[in-house]
Amino acid sequence: MNLFQELKRRKVFKTVGVYAAAALIIIQVADIVFPRLLLPDWTVTFVIVLVIIGFPITFFLSWNYDIKPDSKLDSGEINPEETTDPEVLQTEKPNLNIYTITGGALAVIGIMFWFFFSTSSLSTADEDLIENSIAVFSFDNLSTGEETSRMGEILQHLIISDLSGLTHLKVISHQRLQDIQKQNSEGVENYTIAQQANAKVLLSGSIMDLSGKKILVGELIDAIDGNVIISHRIEGKDIYSMIDMLTDSIHRDLDISKHSNDDIELKAGTKTTQSLDAYEKYLEGLKYFNQLQWDIAIKKFNEAITIDSTFMDAYFYLTISLGWADDYIKTDQSAEEICKIILDKKLYHNEIEKQRVEGTYLYTKGEYNASLPFFEKLIEIEPDNKLNWYGIGEAYYHTATNSCNHAGTCSCKRAEATKEENYPKALSSMHKVLELDPDFHTAIYHIFDVLAYNKDWEGIINFDSKYKVNISGKIQPRVLRAYEILGHLEKAEKYYEKIEQTLISTDSTGEGLCFINAEISYNLATEDSLFQRAKYYAEKGIKICPSKNRWLRQNGS
């Protein structure tokens, strides 16, 4: 009798098949249910490992149970009268025993592992173990007056900042919640977003101003089922003291243990800004920053700083904006100068912010290699913070660019190696930024910078097609240039026509189209030696732009 027939006779295939079907069902249930119960990711993997371990156990027991089911089978003496119902009973009973023994063995293994893991985790856990996590969403502004259109978002920032002072509470950042919202379709419930951010509870509510008296309502909600745990209604005139009262209530509601490093007693405004007007300007600056209008963003951030000279977030985004605006406008400020102000005045609120500013300060001074360890450490601490990935992307890009531009004859090979090694890292970092926040258009612009400097014209066209980038005249000249260099003249002219139609209808000043013509004609003439094509765009620019247009003067078209 061959092996196949023997396996079939001993019912091994049937037993293992039933086990496999049951195993698949168990894995599916674990994969769906465990995340909803907020169990860690390893628990699903643990179930899969147990199921795999169970396969050889089931096979072994199935084979051996049929070797000696009784003395008659072993000796080969089979009574013909016992080959019907008793035989069926005989084979079903061993199968049932096999599943029982296998299940018992896996249960013992699972319990031992779980006990070991739990006790070892408890023994190694330190006093800084996070006991709770919370996601704070924008509050609804129910006020009828013209006080501020961004009051709800401002409240969100202030509450996040206030709750972040608790050592035993993990507070999901405003940026992280926004990034998750962008990755989801419209209409997704807040508690679903909170789940994706790994928060156990969420806080939302409303603010209303009635004849000078403010009413703040905050609802603490279970992130698993969306049910309200408790609601707080606070009345007063000073929004900052009201926020402090709300966060103190949340502290008690979550029964968070006290810690010597807790700074929740600090007033909310001391951690961000004490001026709602400054916050309004800051949020306007962020809007223009994401639209690559760095000159307007600089103006708004400076207005926020003028109102509140200790506003850390406004200073930091001013730094990034200045780094990019240098290519387009003349300013009396520099990114290096602003970083130094933050560090000298100690405007940062914690060590993480301090390290981010120190890393940024180094690369604004041209010390790109020195800045890398700062951002590498920050990514270890906050892997979902786009500013950390943006910072390390900047450092990688400029490390390659700097070494290639300034390498001497002896170090030419080293410079090329640095370029080949760091350009992919810079691209990967900026792609990570876009993964976290698809609207962080400064990262998109930087990707085009990397591709253009590396003369990857096909990469530029492919990237533009993938992201459908049509948001800024600062990006579009690069795509036009790629088409021109590759000799796709018809595609270049069609691409330009689409830009022209869009900008004529949306930009009454004509500045955007003037910039595009000046930029593309300048690059084609000075860097690519495509003089006839440069003339083609320059002539279009002369027809469209005023004679004193700043872009034509700047690029000499």
Side-chain angles (χ1 to χ4, degrees), residues 206-268:
S206 62
I207 180 73
M208 181 183 297
D209 194 325
L210 296 175
S211 303
K213 182 178 74 171
K214 295 180 174 63
I215 301 174
L216 177 63
V217 176
E219 291 182 336
L220 196 63
I221 299 173
D222 191 322
I224 297 177
D225 54 25
N227 292 331
V228 176
I229 300 172
I230 193 171
S231 179
H232 295 282
R233 177 188 171 97
I234 300 170
E235 299 183 8
K237 294 185 177 180
D238 179 25
I239 193 66
Y240 294 103
S241 62
M242 293 168 69
I243 290 172
D244 288 331
M245 292 173 64
L246 177 61
T247 52
D248 190 52
S249 298
I250 299 300
H251 178 266
R252 293 193 302 270
D253 295 337
L254 297 178
D255 192 25
I256 300 171
S257 59
K258 297 285 187 179
H259 192 281
S260 58
N261 292 332
D262 287 352
D263 63 354
I264 197 169
E265 67 275 5
L266 296 174
K267 292 183 178 180

